[in-house]
Amino acid sequence: MQTPSSPRTKPAARRAAAAEAAPSQDMIRLANVWKRYEHGRFVLQTIDLQVGRGEFVFITGPSGAGKTTLLSLLYGAEIADRGQVFIAGRNITRLRRKELSHLRRGIGVVFQDFKLLPRRTVFENIAFCQRAIGVSAREARRRVYAVLKLVSLAEKRDLYPRFLSGGEQQRVAIARALVNRPPLLIADEPTGNLDPEMANEVMDVFKEVNRLATTVVVATHDRSVIEYVGSRTVRLEFGQIMKVGA
Amino acid sequence: MQTPSSPRTKPAARRAAAAEAAPSQDMIRLANVWKRYEHGRFVLQTIDLQVGRGEFVFITGPSGAGKTTLLSLLYGAEIADRGQVFIAGRNITRLRRKELSHLRRGIGVVFQDFKLLPRRTVFENIAFCQRAIGVSAREARRRVYAVLKLVSLAEKRDLYPRFLSGGEQQRVAIARALVNRPPLLIADEPTGNLDPEMANEVMDVFKEVNRLATTVVVATHDRSVIEYVGSRTVRLEFGQIMKVGA
Amino acid sequence: MNRWLQSFPYFFGEALLDIRENRAVAALTIVTTTISLIFFGALWIVQVNVSDLIGNWRERFQVEVFLKNKITSTEKEAIKSAVLRSESVERVAERTSDEALKKFREQLGPNAGVLDGLGEAFLPSSYRIILRPGWRTMANIESLMARVRVMPGVERLRNDLTWLRRLEGAIQLIRLAVWTISALLGLGVLFIIANTIRLTLFARRDDIAIMHLVGATDGFIRTPYITEGVLCGACGGIAAYASLMLLYYAFFLPVLSGFSAEGFIVRPGGWHLGVLLVGVGASLGFVGSAATVSHYLRKQRE
Amino acid sequence: MNRWLQSFPYFFGEALLDIRENRAVAALTIVTTTISLIFFGALWIVQVNVSDLIGNWRERFQVEVFLKNKITSTEKEAIKSAVLRSESVERVAERTSDEALKKFREQLGPNAGVLDGLGEAFLPSSYRIILRPGWRTMANIESLMARVRVMPGVERLRNDLTWLRRLEGAIQLIRLAVWTISALLGLGVLFIIANTIRLTLFARRDDIAIMHLVGATDGFIRTPYITEGVLCGACGGIAAYASLMLLYYAFFLPVLSGFSAEGFIVRPGGWHLGVLLVGVGASLGFVGSAATVSHYLRKQRE
Ligand SMILES: Nc1ncnc2c1ncn2[C@@H]1O[C@H](COP(=O)(O)OP(=O)(O)OP(=O)(O)O)[C@@H](O)[C@H]1O
Ligand SMILES: Nc1ncnc2c1ncn2[C@@H]1O[C@H](COP(=O)(O)OP(=O)(O)OP(=O)(O)O)[C@@H](O)[C@H]1O
Ligand SMILES: [Mg+2]
Ligand SMILES: [Mg+2]
């Protein structure tokens, strides 16, 4: 895995890549962040969090604690009600729409519910991400094959998501998050449908990606996965950070 | 939990309920079942499986082994290519469409991907199942509240599924499977999005339901859940049953 | 049936929900249905009025026997009685030379001056033969004319036969056109409503699959969609009726009265038309949706 | 722009995919657009032909000066030169008493027999004044007539003034109707295409959200839908043109030739009409879809 080199990677992402050379800056910085959904109580409160470039961090906590919400702040799907969210040094709430699009090209996300496009095959689901950032059709094909092999799904490439098992769909989502070789990888419960062996394989891929300078943030319930990787763990409970483990 | 008593429970389900008095008959019996999807290899091969009334069985195995496929044979979403599938003594491949509908009213299913109706609230998602089997609106409301409390989601009853966290959606799916008090409960990876404590709580509910004569079949990867319950485990690998654990 | 009635509020509610959530399609469908039914209704109005008009014209149809100037009264009587003997004749009216001139003057209108100073009796007198209704077919008329033409004292015959022939042709043509276009419009509406229901089913395919999985029967699943089709069709009918009445009273009537030189009055269809349009709309809605849903559910089974 | 062209196959493919997957709605839209554009085209044909027809009538418009029987040739010359002096007159044609009678006979047709044996010269001779094109307005005509009416030797004047007045009114009315209906039809098509795109967007809302999340820009997301709108509109235009030509050559022309006693020929629009219909359809498609997509994406942002 290398830093992003796609021809259309634009200012935000390029700056992010450039800043990697200066690791003094954090990849993620949340300062006193509060978040609530319409007509609800605060789902996140007084969140302070820093993740350095090249770090591997787990977010854990009970169901409904706010893990998914916290992650969605990082790629701008939700906007904090109070506080600041900096990604690669840029204040994400201040970005214009186009800038946000370009920033997102530098972030790979594995969604908890996969969010695969139902009317596209496995191959197209992943290739599409490459096309959207302007990679040529040929180059995209090459990269998609490579990443599908990584999650042992090369033979399923022409199937539609609905013809896949739960775990296979999850691996497609993982492959899609990896294909753009993003400087930041965010994964929400990426092993919920995987057996322990497969889960460990995926974690091996994440560790490898991390070794090649990608910052990794994983939300999970799965204690054995956390133990397997053994990196920093942030525990959320009722929307607040409880303790920062080793 | 009691045996099904809804006014519209029809022959198939009623017979199933009646047969409960004669536990000599199996709830589930698969005899040399083969199954493949169009244009694919066989996903299930030579499956022989018996589950007695009132049993609690785990199905486990790696991603893509065929667990979901096996379960889908039990409620008639898929039809075996070879072999026989008996549910409560009835050959499911022989049922006419209407009979199948009535049989399904006696089976609660937790789907791996939840299958909640997106345009209905949590409450309606569950109440709808009761309405479909002809329970009066009032009675349905009472039962839905009771079952929502069981999965700690009473306060989320008026939200749409997309406003719930992954674990909360999963618990709605569990509540829906329980609300008709089915003689047979089938759950596919029901704890994939739940933290270990919540997973154990759900297993406590399943055990309680099982104690009240419901047959329970759970497909899962989660070893801690299997250990927590400690009942019979069937392991699938590449579409075949490998070993039957204690 | 009783249970069906009991569940009706549920089905109706579901149908309304579907329409609300799919309101873009529903609106499109109702608008297209309305337009089709407007044409259908307009055709109906046209047909009714053309039938009336043609009835009128037929009523006025007659054969005129011009008599020689020097005809004897015996000859005149012979002609009259011969004509009256024919079954197809209702009555015979004599038109004297003076009356003919007066009529001719009327026809000439402002140019009648050209006749001034001409002899009073230069136009021949004639018998106008009024035919019995139902006997005004071409065959009858031709045989009557053949008989009369050869009688002594007859100068020549005049009739509206070519006109009648054209009229009959026109009537056939109009009827054919009306039926063809109506059938096409009906098919169009059927297609559109079936399409809407197909779209709704498509949008709801996950819901329907889930409903099946939890044990709902086909009947339970089907009814809201059929209700939706009937509602759309009926709405189209109501809207079409309202539009036609509006068009008629607000636009057509004032404009027509400006041009009403012809004394030709177009009547709208009245409440019959309303019932017809709503009935046709609802029926097409029922057939279209029932067929689509049944087909969809049958396909699912396989 | 260059990149846009490069991506065009992708956008076009996506648009076709959308149309294929949403073919029910697309079909409905194209059909409705086609119907609207058929009416639009028919109106255009009607307007062009009515303009021609009216031009024809106007061409034939004239004032006739009937001369006294005992007019002197000096008076005749005085009248002619007075008329010719007027700017609005193109030429003056004399019609002798004989010619007038011949014309009258022609008009009477089969009934011309009534004139047999009358004096040859009982109709007055007259001057027909043919007006210069562009000078055939009511004001000009009325002033000319006022001048001529009082001259010695003039019996009376005849003109088609009431007819002209009616015609001008009819032209105004038709023009107004054509523009109003065209505008309404255009709005209708706009609404329908916008609706289709809205439906497509609705069906694709998850896709669009996911595309945004993985970093696709608005432009990238927007273009396939706009292409789809333009395609639908253009297809409607093509279909409408084809239908109109078919209607004209297969149905209207034969029927009309049966009734062509009037010598009145309706011309179809030719390829101009085709270009017009496709252009209007595509433009409406562009505007409708672009507005809807932009609105949708703007709403998403909030
Ligand atoms: N779009 C939304 N609108 C309203 N409330 C929401 C929305 N999304 C989440 N919530 C609520 O916010 C709370 C936190 O949700 P979140 O998805 O962040 O939890 P989580 O930690 O990811 O849980 P899980 O482990 O079950 O996925 C939950 O109570 C949920 O009901
Ligand atoms: N509808 C389908 N059409 C074609 N192939 C399918 C279909 N559903 C599943 N498969 C294939 O069948 C195999 C078994 O799938 P199944 O869903 O039964 O696995 P599973 O054991 O439930 O896996 P997981 O633990 O990942 O959910 C997989 O290889 C999958 O790709
Ligand atoms: Mg979550
Ligand atoms: Mg599965």
Side-chain angles (χ1 to χ4, degrees):
Chain A
M1 287 266 171
Q2 47 193 79
T3 52
S5 60
S6 79
R8 279 183 74 188
T9 309
K10 273 290 179 53
R14 220 181 278 146
R15 213 168 302 162
E20 247 162 280
S24 67
Q25 215 184 10
D26 289 330
M27 177 57 97
I28 296 171
R29 193 153 63 80
L30 275 69
N32 190 26
V33 165
W34 293 62
K35 171 69 192 171
R36 68 166 169 183
Y37 294 102
E38 257 177 287
H39 312 303
R41 53 171 180 73
F42 277 97
V43 170
L44 292 178
Q45 294 169 39
T46 63
I47 301 287
D48 284 301
L49 179 67
Q50 267 143 51
V51 177
R53 285 174 192 281
E55 245 197 291
F56 195 133
V57 175
F58 282 107
I59 313 251
T60 188
S63 174
K67 301 181 293 300
T68 302
T69 306
L70 178 58
L71 295 186
S72 67
L73 295 173
L74 303 184
Y75 50 88
E78 298 288 351
I79 298 296
D81 293 310
R82 299 186 213 162
Q84 309 291 326
V85 177
F86 292 92
I87 303 295
R90 307 206 71 190
N91 188 334
I92 205 166
T93 51
R94 297 270 168 78
L95 293 183
R96 279 179 301 117
R97 195 166 167 77
K98 199 152 191 174
E99 291 173 326
L100 183 61
S101 288
H102 289 303
L103 177 66
R104 280 177 178 164
R105 294 179 186 176
I107 306 176
V109 185
V110 182
F111 299 94
Q112 191 170 11
D113 55 357
F114 316 154
K115 294 203 193 297
L116 302 178
L117 300 170
R119 284 175 322 284
R120 297 179 201 242
T121 63
V122 167
F123 178 87
E124 289 164 354
N125 257 285
I126 302 172
F128 152 77
C129 278
Q130 288 263 294
R131 298 291 289 154
I133 67 171
V135 176
S136 77
R138 254 187 88 204
E139 175 65 10
R141 191 199 319 271
R142 210 185 52 72
R143 290 202 202 166
V144 173
Y145 282 145
V147 81
L148 274 176
K149 220 167 268 166
L150 210 62
V151 294
S152 332
L153 275 180
E155 44 181 302
K156 303 272 179 189
R157 62 176 174 268
D158 292 326
L159 294 180
Y160 289 92
R162 65 176 177 284
F163 298 142
L164 298 181
S165 81
E168 287 161 354
Q169 290 180 30
Q170 193 153 44
R171 282 178 279 154
V172 175
I174 291 167
R176 185 178 62 186
L178 293 172
V179 73
N180 283 358
R181 296 169 183 171
L184 174 57
L185 176 65
I186 295 173
D188 195 354
E189 203 71 64
T191 59
N193 286 276
L194 299 181
D195 52 289
E197 292 73 28
M198 188 65 81
N200 289 348
E201 278 174 37
V202 166
M203 282 306 134
D204 288 339
V205 173
F206 281 18
K207 281 201 288 194
E208 175 66 8
V209 167
N210 179 242
R211 208 180 53 78
L212 294 166
T214 290
T215 310
V216 180
V217 180
V218 178
T220 188
H221 296 298
D222 196 336
R223 280 173 197 162
S224 58
V225 160
I226 298 176
E227 279 161 25
Y228 181 77
V229 176
S231 65
R232 176 154 78 111
T233 303
V234 175
R235 186 168 171 81
L236 270 183
E237 253 171 50
F238 301 109
Q240 285 178 297
I241 292 179
M242 292 313 280
K243 80 166 198 229
V244 182
Chain B
M1 286 266 174
Q2 49 192 78
T3 53
S5 59
S6 76
R8 281 180 75 188
T9 310
K10 272 291 180 53
R14 219 182 277 147
R15 214 169 300 159
E20 247 161 281
S24 66
Q25 217 185 4
D26 290 328
M27 177 56 97
I28 297 170
R29 194 152 65 78
L30 275 68
N32 190 26
V33 165
W34 295 59
K35 170 69 191 171
R36 68 166 169 183
Y37 293 102
E38 257 176 286
H39 311 302
R41 55 174 179 68
F42 276 98
V43 170
L44 292 178
Q45 294 170 40
T46 64
I47 300 287
D48 284 300
L49 179 68
Q50 267 144 51
V51 177
R53 284 174 193 283
E55 245 196 291
F56 195 132
V57 176
F58 282 107
I59 313 248
T60 187
S63 174
K67 302 180 292 299
T68 302
T69 306
L70 178 59
L71 296 187
S72 68
L73 295 173
L74 304 182
Y75 51 86
E78 298 289 350
I79 298 296
D81 294 310
R82 298 186 215 161
Q84 308 292 326
V85 177
F86 292 92
I87 303 297
R90 308 207 70 191
N91 188 333
I92 206 166
T93 51
R94 299 270 169 78
L95 293 183
R96 280 179 299 116
R97 195 165 166 77
K98 197 152 191 173
E99 290 172 329
L100 183 60
S101 287
H102 290 303
L103 177 66
R104 280 177 179 164
R105 295 179 186 176
I107 306 176
V109 185
V110 182
F111 300 94
Q112 191 170 10
D113 55 357
F114 316 154
K115 292 200 194 298
L116 301 178
L117 300 170
R119 285 175 320 285
R120 296 180 201 242
T121 63
V122 167
F123 179 87
E124 288 163 355
N125 257 286
I126 302 171
F128 153 78
C129 278
Q130 289 263 292
R131 298 291 291 154
I133 68 171
V135 176
S136 77
R138 253 187 88 203
E139 176 65 9
R141 191 199 319 272
R142 209 183 53 71
R143 290 202 202 166
V144 174
Y145 282 145
V147 82
L148 275 175
K149 220 167 268 165
L150 210 61
V151 295
S152 333
L153 275 180
E155 44 182 301
K156 302 271 179 188
R157 63 176 174 267
D158 291 327
L159 294 179
Y160 289 92
R162 66 177 176 283
F163 298 141
L164 298 182
S165 80
E168 286 161 353
Q169 290 180 30
Q170 193 155 45
R171 283 178 279 155
V172 176
I174 292 168
R176 184 179 62 184
L178 294 170
V179 72
N180 283 357
R181 296 169 185 172
L184 174 57
L185 176 65
I186 295 174
D188 196 353
E189 203 72 61
T191 58
N193 288 276
L194 300 181
D195 53 290
E197 293 73 28
M198 188 65 80
N200 289 347
E201 276 174 38
V202 166
M203 282 306 134
D204 288 338
V205 173
F206 281 18
K207 283 201 286 193
E208 174 66 8
V209 167
N210 179 243
R211 207 178 55 74
L212 295 165
T214 289
T215 310
V216 180
V217 179
V218 178
T220 188
H221 295 297
D222 197 337
R223 281 172 196 161
S224 60
V225 160
I226 298 176
E227 279 160 24
Y228 182 77
V229 177
S231 65
R232 176 154 80 109
T233 304
V234 175
R235 187 166 170 83
L236 270 183
E237 255 172 49
F238 299 110
Q240 286 179 295
I241 291 178
M242 294 311 282
K243 81 167 201 229
V244 182
Chain C
M1 192 58 208
N2 188 26
R3 218 175 41 234
W4 192 90
L5 273 182
Q6 215 177 308
S7 293
F8 186 75
Y10 164 80
F11 293 135
F12 198 76
E14 289 290 296
L16 284 185
L17 192 74
D18 271 353
I19 291 179
R20 215 183 49 214
E21 287 190 352
N22 250 336
R23 58 178 160 265
V25 191
L28 202 61
T29 310
I30 294 177
V31 166
T32 327
T33 306
T34 303
I35 293 175
S36 305
L37 288 177
I38 285 176
F39 282 105
F40 179 79
L43 280 178
W44 201 73
I45 292 180
V46 165
Q47 202 194 10
V48 164
N49 282 286
V50 165
S51 295
D52 276 15
L53 191 71
I54 282 173
N56 250 334
W57 283 346
R58 273 209 178 138
E59 203 58 42
R60 283 197 251 158
F61 176 83
Q62 53 194 30
V63 176
E64 195 159 7
V65 182
F66 290 100
L67 304 175
K68 290 216 165 84
N69 273 340
K70 35 216 141 194
I71 193 171
T72 66
S73 57
T74 342
E75 280 169 351
K76 257 178 108 167
E77 277 312 303
I79 294 169
K80 186 165 184 178
S81 59
V83 166
L84 281 173
R85 230 177 295 128
S86 165
E87 275 183 310
S88 52
V89 173
E90 188 168 289
R91 60 192 176 86
V92 171
E94 195 175 340
R95 178 182 274 162
T96 63
S97 179
D98 286 359
E99 283 163 2
L101 186 63
K102 215 170 120 200
K103 190 86 194 297
F104 189 39
R105 271 184 189 283
E106 271 169 25
Q107 281 171 5
L108 285 178
N111 297 326
V114 303
L115 301 176
D116 289 351
L118 299 176
E120 288 294 277
F122 75 98
L123 290 174
S125 61
S126 64
Y127 280 133
R128 286 182 306 118
I129 305 175
I130 287 95
L131 295 159
R132 238 188 260 282
W135 290 88
R136 296 188 189 96
T137 65
M138 310 252 276
N140 283 329
I141 290 160
E142 276 173 345
S143 81
L144 175 65
M145 285 176 66
R147 234 179 307 135
V148 174
R149 184 173 287 118
V150 296
M151 292 186 78
V154 171
E155 165 87 30
R156 61 193 179 84
L157 296 178
R158 197 175 63 87
N159 71 86
D160 304 322
L161 213 59
T162 17
W163 268 110
L164 190 67
R165 210 175 270 141
R166 280 197 195 159
L167 219 62
E168 309 250 81
I171 293 169
Q172 296 300 339
L173 206 77
I174 288 172
R175 251 194 214 136
L176 191 74
V178 165
W179 280 108
T180 315
I181 300 178
S182 296
L184 286 178
L185 287 172
L187 274 180
V189 171
L190 214 60
F191 164 81
I192 287 159
I193 289 180
N195 238 344
T196 308
I197 300 298
R198 183 134 37 107
L199 280 173
T200 311
L201 291 173
F202 186 75
R204 294 275 178 287
R205 64 194 182 285
D206 292 343
D207 290 26
I208 293 175
I210 296 171
M211 286 178 163
H212 269 143
L213 286 177
V214 302
T217 55
D218 282 352
F220 188 81
I221 293 170
R222 186 189 294 130
T223 316
Y225 300 105
I226 298 183
T227 312
E228 188 184 340
V230 172
L231 274 180
C232 281
C235 285
I238 293 171
Y241 183 63
S243 311
L244 277 172
M245 290 300 103
L246 197 78
L247 270 178
Y248 180 76
Y249 286 107
F251 188 75
F252 198 64
L253 209 57
V255 167
L256 200 78
S257 70
F259 282 79
S260 73
E262 316 296 305
F264 165 60
I265 288 161
V266 173
R267 298 175 311 153
W271 62 268
H272 293 99
L273 181 65
V275 171
L276 181 78
L277 290 179
V278 175
V280 167
S283 310
L284 291 174
F286 179 83
V287 173
S289 57
T292 312
V293 177
S294 300
H295 175 247
Y296 180 86
L297 292 178
R298 211 174 317 120
K299 221 177 51 190
Q300 291 308 90
R301 199 173 321 174
E302 284 148 18
Chain D
M1 191 61 206
N2 188 25
R3 212 166 55 228
W4 192 90
L5 274 181
Q6 214 177 309
S7 292
F8 186 75
Y10 164 80
F11 293 136
F12 198 76
E14 289 290 295
L16 284 185
L17 192 78
D18 270 355
I19 290 179
R20 214 181 52 213
E21 287 190 351
N22 250 337
R23 58 178 160 267
V25 191
L28 202 60
T29 309
I30 293 177
V31 166
T32 327
T33 306
T34 303
I35 294 175
S36 304
L37 288 177
I38 286 177
F39 281 106
F40 179 79
L43 279 179
W44 200 74
I45 293 179
V46 164
Q47 202 194 7
V48 163
N49 281 286
V50 164
S51 294
D52 277 14
L53 191 70
I54 282 172
N56 250 332
W57 284 346
R58 273 208 179 142
E59 203 57 43
R60 282 198 251 158
F61 176 84
Q62 52 195 30
V63 177
E64 196 160 8
V65 183
F66 292 98
L67 304 174
K68 290 218 168 79
N69 273 340
K70 36 215 143 198
I71 192 169
T72 67
S73 55
T74 341
E75 279 169 352
K76 256 176 109 167
E77 277 312 305
I79 293 170
K80 189 167 181 175
S81 58
V83 166
L84 280 175
R85 228 176 295 128
S86 164
E87 275 184 309
S88 51
V89 174
E90 186 168 292
R91 62 194 175 82
V92 171
E94 191 172 346
R95 179 181 274 163
T96 63
S97 178
D98 285 359
E99 284 163 1
L101 186 63
K102 215 170 123 202
K103 189 90 195 296
F104 189 39
R105 272 183 190 281
E106 272 168 25
Q107 282 171 5
L108 285 178
N111 297 326
V114 302
L115 300 177
D116 290 350
L118 295 176
E120 289 293 276
F122 75 97
L123 290 173
S125 62
S126 63
Y127 281 131
R128 286 183 305 119
I129 305 174
I130 288 94
L131 294 159
R132 236 188 262 283
W135 290 89
R136 297 188 188 96
T137 64
M138 309 252 276
N140 282 331
I141 290 160
E142 276 173 345
S143 81
L144 175 67
M145 284 177 68
R147 232 177 309 134
V148 174
R149 184 174 288 118
V150 294
M151 294 188 76
V154 171
E155 165 88 33
R156 64 195 175 83
L157 296 176
R158 197 174 61 88
N159 72 85
D160 304 322
L161 213 60
T162 17
W163 268 109
L164 190 68
R165 208 173 271 141
R166 277 195 196 162
L167 220 59
E168 308 250 81
I171 293 170
Q172 296 301 338
L173 206 76
I174 288 172
R175 252 195 215 133
L176 190 75
V178 165
W179 281 108
T180 316
I181 300 178
S182 295
L184 286 178
L185 287 173
L187 273 180
V189 171
L190 213 61
F191 164 81
I192 287 160
I193 290 181
N195 238 343
T196 307
I197 301 298
R198 183 133 39 108
L199 281 173
T200 311
L201 292 174
F202 186 74
R204 295 275 178 286
R205 62 192 183 288
D206 294 342
D207 291 26
I208 293 174
I210 295 170
M211 287 178 162
H212 269 143
L213 285 178
V214 302
T217 54
D218 283 353
F220 188 81
I221 294 171
R222 187 190 294 130
T223 315
Y225 300 105
I226 297 181
T227 311
E228 187 185 342
V230 172
L231 274 180
C232 280
C235 284
I238 293 171
Y241 182 62
S243 310
L244 277 172
M245 290 301 102
L246 197 79
L247 270 179
Y248 180 75
Y249 286 108
F251 189 74
F252 199 63
L253 209 57
V255 167
L256 200 78
S257 69
F259 281 81
S260 71
E262 315 297 305
F264 165 59
I265 287 161
V266 173
R267 299 176 310 152
W271 62 267
H272 292 99
L273 180 65
V275 171
L276 180 79
L277 290 179
V278 174
V280 166
S283 311
L284 291 174
F286 179 82
V287 174
S289 57
T292 312
V293 177
S294 300
H295 175 248
Y296 180 85
L297 292 179
R298 211 174 318 119
K299 220 177 52 190
Q300 292 308 92
R301 199 173 320 173
E302 284 147 20

